[in-house]
Amino acid sequence: MPVYEFIALTGAGKRFKGVIDADSLAAARQKIRSQGHYPVECKETSAKSSATSLFSRQMHLGQPIKQQEVHIATRQLATLLGAGIPLVPALNGLIEQTGNRAFKTVLAQIKEAVNEGNSLTTALADHPRLFSKIYVNMVRAGEASGSLDVVLERLAEFGENQHAIRSRVKAALLYPLFMAIVGVIVLFLLIAFIVPSITSVFEGTKQALPTPTIVLIALSTLFKKFWWLVLIGAIGAIAAGRWFISTPPGRRRWDRLKLTAPGIRDLSIKTTSARFSRTLSSLLESGVSLITSLQIVKNIVDNVLVAELINAACDELEKGVSLSQFFRGNEWFPPMLVQMMAVGEQSGTLDKMLAKAADAYEKEVEAKILALTSMIEPIMILSMGVVVSFIVVSILLPIFEMNQLIR
């Protein structure tokens, strides 16, 4: 059944937008009138519309689809299917409950595709920017095994857990980030506007100024007269760094740095291990084959070198080598993770062992991030103290020398 986007007027003359499904454009208009509204504009949206055009409409409507909305809809769909409601009526229920117009359109397109005889997997795959490869493959496994409601429940839990971890990390970083921005602004104003009014006293004297004072005056002049050049330089350096990382050689160097640099090496390896374990566990638990699961996981570990290692593991698995045997001794896969893989392979519970490893590593990663963020504040205070001390000393040194000359 085609899906139509419409603009209509309520009985009170208020303009609003919505989505409706009907057999034809005339039927859609009639359906809108039967709800007590007056259609102003009505047009069909194709289920095959590209993800790019969909997201362009989202930006135009000011209604971006958040991943949290996808997680909520997934859990609701799992509940409806678990209660014995068929897929199409369950999707209808989701459409009615969704307030986001852009997401409502997506759900209506998915329902239309299912009505046309496509599987839910195929319908979801038409929206890759909303439903990842993990999501689509787990749904495919759920449809094949007849346990779609169970798989959707796992997907909802997986997405909500990942969202909760990211939210806690962002909350921990919010205060240090705020402090950093305020500190930079205060130092800029101090050097660009306060210091010049003080150091101007020394300009009329013929006294040789100390080196710290000369440096401070030069910095003050630079920030006051050429602040735009400093700003352009900072933005250019950031843009150049981002561009370099986006290139294949730059990405490899950046990913290698994350895995080898002291201070961040342990955190990076454990973050990658947690993501690898959690995703692989979820896919295996949903019935996806090991090699297919690894091919999906390699795209979400967010490290080119680890992805290449996982791809090599797929080749070795086809030759009969076990997963734990391949990763044993590798510096980027912790010994505990490899040991749990071996236990899982021997007992036939690889998915459960990986889930336990993911729980452990996620807790370690969160604890390490919170510890690092707690160190940021004293480091920032110390850094600002050093800068302010330099400014004070640079101003006081000439004053002390002038007093000695007067005596």
Side-chain angles (χ1 to χ4, degrees), residues 171 311 319 381:
N311 194 51
K319 298 176 183 177
I381 293 173

Side-chain angles (χ1 to χ4, degrees), residues 77-258:
L77 184 58
T79 302
L80 292 170
L81 294 176
I85 299 174
L87 180 57
V88 173
L91 289 171
N92 265 328
L94 286 185
I95 293 170
E96 293 173 3
Q97 294 178 49
T98 302
N100 187 319
R101 180 172 172 254
F103 193 30
K104 191 186 289 283
T105 302
V106 172
L107 292 173
Q109 291 173 351
I110 291 170
K111 191 193 79 168
E112 180 191 353
V114 173
N115 264 333
E116 291 175 353
N118 294 303
S119 65
L120 180 61
T121 303
T122 304
L124 295 174
D126 288 334
H127 306 277
R129 299 184 73 173
L130 276 183
F131 305 103
S132 64
K133 289 184 178 180
I134 300 171
Y135 196 106
V136 172
N137 278 275
M138 286 180 68
V139 169
R140 179 180 288 112
E143 286 186 308
S145 62
S147 56
L148 184 57
D149 56 330
V150 177
V151 169
L152 289 171
E153 190 72 29
R154 289 174 188 158
L155 269 171
E157 290 176 2
F158 176 77
E160 288 166 357
N161 289 338
Q162 296 298 309
H163 177 76
I165 293 172
R166 285 193 295 267
S167 297
R168 287 196 291 270
V169 172
K170 287 179 181 178
L173 291 172
L174 187 62
Y175 180 68
L177 180 63
F178 173 76
M179 288 287 293
I181 293 172
V182 172
V184 169
I185 292 174
V186 169
L187 288 176
F188 174 78
L189 294 175
L190 185 65
I191 294 174
F193 298 101
I194 306 300
V195 169
S197 63
I198 299 174
T199 55
S200 61
V201 176
F202 309 128
E203 292 178 358
T205 67
K206 297 181 179 179
Q207 177 188 356
L209 297 176
T211 302
T213 308
I214 295 173
V215 172
L216 180 63
I217 293 173
L219 286 173
S220 176
T221 303
L222 176 66
F223 279 105
K224 186 174 182 180
K225 294 185 177 179
F226 302 103
W227 62 268
W228 53 272
L229 191 61
V230 174
L231 183 62
I232 291 174
I235 294 174
I238 294 172
R242 291 176 64 90
W243 171 82
F244 179 70
I245 292 174
S246 67
T247 63
R251 181 61 187 270
R252 288 185 68 85
R253 290 189 181 183
W254 174 246
D255 286 345
R256 184 175 292 279
L257 178 67
K258 289 190 293 184

Side-chain angles (χ1 to χ4, degrees), residues 359-376:
D359 290 336
Y361 285 122
E362 284 170 357
K363 289 177 182 177
E364 286 189 39
V365 167
E366 188 174 356
K368 279 185 174 293
I369 291 175
L370 292 176
L372 288 173
T373 53
S374 66
M375 292 172 59
I376 291 175

